[in-house]
Amino acid sequence: MNENNPHLMGTEPVGKLLLQYSIPAIIGMTIVSLYNIIDSIFIGHGVGAMAIAGLAITFPMMNLTAAFGNLVSAGGSTISSIRLGQKDIEGVNKVLGNTLTLCIVHAIVFGGLSFLFLDYILRFFGASSETLPYARDFMQVILLGTPFAYVMIGMNYVMRATGHPKKAMLTSMASVLVNVVLAPLFIFHFHWGIRGAALATICAQFIGMLWVLNHFLGKKRDIRLRRHCLRLERRIVGDIYSIGMAPFLMNVTACVIVILINNTLQRHGGDLAIGSYGIINRLLMLYLMIVMGLTMGMQPIVGYNFGARKPERVKQTLRLAIIAGVCITTSGFVICEAFPHAVSAIFTSDDTLIDMAAHGLRLCVAMFPVVGAQVVIGNFFQSIGLAKTSLFMSLTRQLIFLLPCLLVFPLWWGLDGVWLSLPVSDLLAFLTAVAALWWYIRRQRGGATA
């Protein structure tokens, strides 16, 4: 498909479109997930097991950082796709400009406040006297680079949504390549430790930001950054926040859950248990990011055809995406169940940490195959602008199911209770997603409007 003609999303075969949009997005999101994996590997082998635990303490902060970024990025990209389907180019430009402005505002406010109160926040997240220095050193650098990250991610989302999936993929590839080169250099050669890993990350994000800004500053493009579009408009901001609220709350609730997990692990297994969760989280997030890449490829196709009133193409895209999502998470299930020690050893040479992580990993992935379908269905509702349904879907696994499990299961089974909470909530969230989709389909067949 010619990336310069996004209107082909309404005429090209759906299977071909999903491949053309999803494969670059999957590659891009896989590469993005390598940020965290590369940092963890170099930190684990170059700094030590306690540094891995310190890095795990930063997960809630990273989730919060992602939350305020996705609040703008997901909303901006979805509205851009719908307006593109309506052939409202000026409307797309206004959404683009408002997205950029909101990214900068969020970065300054969130990054600045978090930096000022960082020690208090990290202690609340479960940091001990041993892990706090590592967590602080890492997050201080990351927070200083928040503007680079937000602008890169926000503009990259809109780039993909407006018909440039390959170029969006190259943004991620270029930034991760920089990270891969700089991280070992900063950690092993300059001996900057965990700060070096963080500095490599923000340098990579800066390169990615320059790439996406250069794309949207091209004067020959119909969809580009214009000065008058940078001024915030109440209706556009409201729409962005309304649609972006679902992924925002999903990340916020993930933050709450990780805080609870870290504190529970500290009570039942100490710092090494938190380090084990750090390894498990990195591995599971790799597959979830692949599924997220799939949904990012699905989103512009669904959004465009929904805006163009072509429901059969919307249904066909969803069906193919669900099948692909289940295949992705099933592959993760097989690998993690078959080789738990081998994949855990990638991150550390500490035998105790490897054994603890491998045991927890096999329990955590017990229901992983159905997670792919649950994620796709949740993002489908976001793609068609059903903000309330998407919001409900984003809350089911984290707050409604996982939180009660984490409060009860460890009382019965200790550390294993933490690990078992994850597959139980995965299964319940999947069943809820299927019920929500069934309700939507019946509503459509009954002639109701979305």
Side-chain angles (χ1 to χ4, degrees):
M1 186 182 70
N2 182 359
E3 287 195 353
N4 294 321
N5 186 6
H7 299 293
L8 289 176
M9 283 188 284
T11 58
E12 288 282 300
V14 167
K16 178 181 177 182
L17 281 171
L18 191 60
L19 283 174
Q20 290 174 330
Y21 270 77
S22 292
I23 289 177
I26 287 170
I27 293 173
M29 292 303 286
T30 303
I31 290 171
V32 167
S33 72
L34 291 177
Y35 273 132
N36 295 329
I37 290 177
I38 290 166
D39 284 342
S40 296
I41 292 173
F42 289 136
I43 289 169
H45 290 284
V47 187
M50 280 299 105
I52 285 284
L55 191 63
I57 293 296
T58 70
F59 289 173
M61 179 66 75
M62 299 297 283
N63 281 332
L64 276 179
T65 303
F68 283 96
N70 287 337
L71 176 60
V72 178
S73 305
S77 62
T78 298
I79 298 168
S80 296
S81 295
I82 293 174
R83 293 200 177 183
L84 195 61
Q86 297 167 343
K87 298 181 173 56
D88 180 9
I89 301 301
E90 178 62 18
V92 177
N93 284 329
K94 288 183 178 180
V95 173
L96 173 65
N98 276 235
T99 299
L100 175 59
T101 301
L102 286 174
C103 283
I104 295 171
V105 171
H106 279 214
I108 293 172
V109 174
F110 172 78
L113 290 175
S114 299
F115 193 91
L116 289 175
F117 300 101
L118 186 58
D119 274 19
Y120 300 102
I121 295 170
L122 292 174
R123 287 193 181 278
F124 178 70
F125 288 171
S128 67
S129 57
E130 289 188 69
T131 56
L132 178 62
Y134 295 109
R136 180 201 299 126
D137 286 351
F138 185 80
M139 283 309 306
Q140 281 179 338
V141 179
I142 291 295
L143 289 172
L144 290 174
T146 304
F148 306 150
Y150 278 18
V151 173
M152 181 190 79
I153 294 171
M155 296 295 95
N156 209 40
Y157 266 59
V158 178
M159 183 191 295
R160 182 179 296 106
T162 53
H164 298 275
K166 292 181 181 178
K167 204 165 187 179
M169 176 191 70
L170 290 175
T171 307
S172 302
M173 291 182 66
S175 58
V176 168
L177 180 61
V178 173
N179 196 30
V180 170
V181 172
L182 293 183
L185 182 66
F186 291 169
I187 294 173
F188 296 106
H189 181 73
F190 293 113
H191 304 289
W192 290 345
I194 201 167
R195 281 188 182 272
L199 182 60
T201 297
I202 67 168
C203 287
Q205 290 168 344
F206 177 73
I207 297 298
M209 180 191 71
L210 294 180
W211 173 270
V212 292
L213 287 178
N214 180 68
H215 169 82
F216 284 116
L217 289 172
K219 293 184 178 181
K220 294 182 179 181
R221 299 187 181 280
D222 291 332
I223 300 172
R224 61 188 176 92
L225 287 168
R226 299 172 184 268
R227 184 174 299 176
H228 72 276
C229 294
L230 297 174
R231 185 174 61 253
L232 294 177
E233 296 187 16
R234 179 178 298 179
R235 183 169 60 87
I236 294 176
V237 172
D239 288 344
I240 288 175
Y241 282 162
S242 175
I243 293 175
M245 189 58 65
F248 172 77
L249 288 178
M250 184 172 63
N251 280 285
V252 170
T253 53
C255 171
V256 173
I257 292 301
V258 174
I259 292 170
L260 179 59
I261 289 175
N262 281 345
N263 283 279
T264 306
L265 290 173
Q266 186 67 252
R267 288 196 301 273
H268 293 280
D271 288 330
L272 282 183
I274 294 177
S276 298
Y277 177 67
I279 292 173
I280 293 169
N281 184 274
R282 292 296 193 235
L283 290 169
L284 299 189
M285 282 304 298
L286 173 61
Y287 290 97
L288 288 175
M289 291 291 270
I290 295 173
V291 178
M292 289 303 296
L294 171 69
T295 63
M296 289 168 70
M298 173 191 76
Q299 181 267 318
I301 304 168
V302 169
Y304 183 99
N305 286 285
F306 182 79
R309 299 186 181 277
K310 297 182 178 181
E312 288 305 316
R313 292 178 63 82
V314 172
K315 292 177 185 177
Q316 188 179 357
T317 305
L318 173 62
R319 183 166 54 249
L320 292 175
I322 289 175
I323 294 171
V326 170
C327 290
I328 292 166
T329 50
T330 298
S331 69
F333 165 80
V334 172
I335 291 173
C336 291
E337 287 287 354
F339 311 105
H341 285 82
V343 294
S344 299
I346 294 172
F347 296 87
T348 181
S349 55
D350 187 292
D351 291 336
T352 304
L353 183 56
I354 291 172
D355 289 339
M356 189 178 290
H359 174 71
L361 181 62
R362 297 191 70 177
L363 295 176
C364 287
V365 300
M367 289 293 166
F368 206 50
V370 302
V371 172
Q374 191 265 335
V375 173
V376 170
I377 294 170
N379 278 271
F380 165 75
F381 288 115
Q382 176 187 316
S383 299
I384 61 175
L386 288 180
K388 291 182 180 179
T389 305
S390 181
L391 177 59
F392 171 75
M393 294 294 300
S394 71
L395 293 176
T396 54
R397 180 183 182 272
Q398 302 283 6
L399 283 184
I400 299 175
F401 301 133
L402 184 53
L403 182 59
C405 290
L406 286 170
L407 292 174
V408 175
F409 287 6
L411 298 178
W412 298 337
W413 300 300
L415 185 58
D416 280 352
V418 179
W419 308 137
L420 289 170
S421 298
L422 299 176
V424 170
S425 61
D426 287 338
L427 177 60
L428 293 174
F430 165 71
L431 295 175
T432 303
V434 171
L437 183 61
W438 175 80
W439 164 83
Y440 174 77
I441 292 172
R442 284 202 61 181
R443 188 167 175 246
Q444 295 302 302
R445 286 175 178 172
T449 58

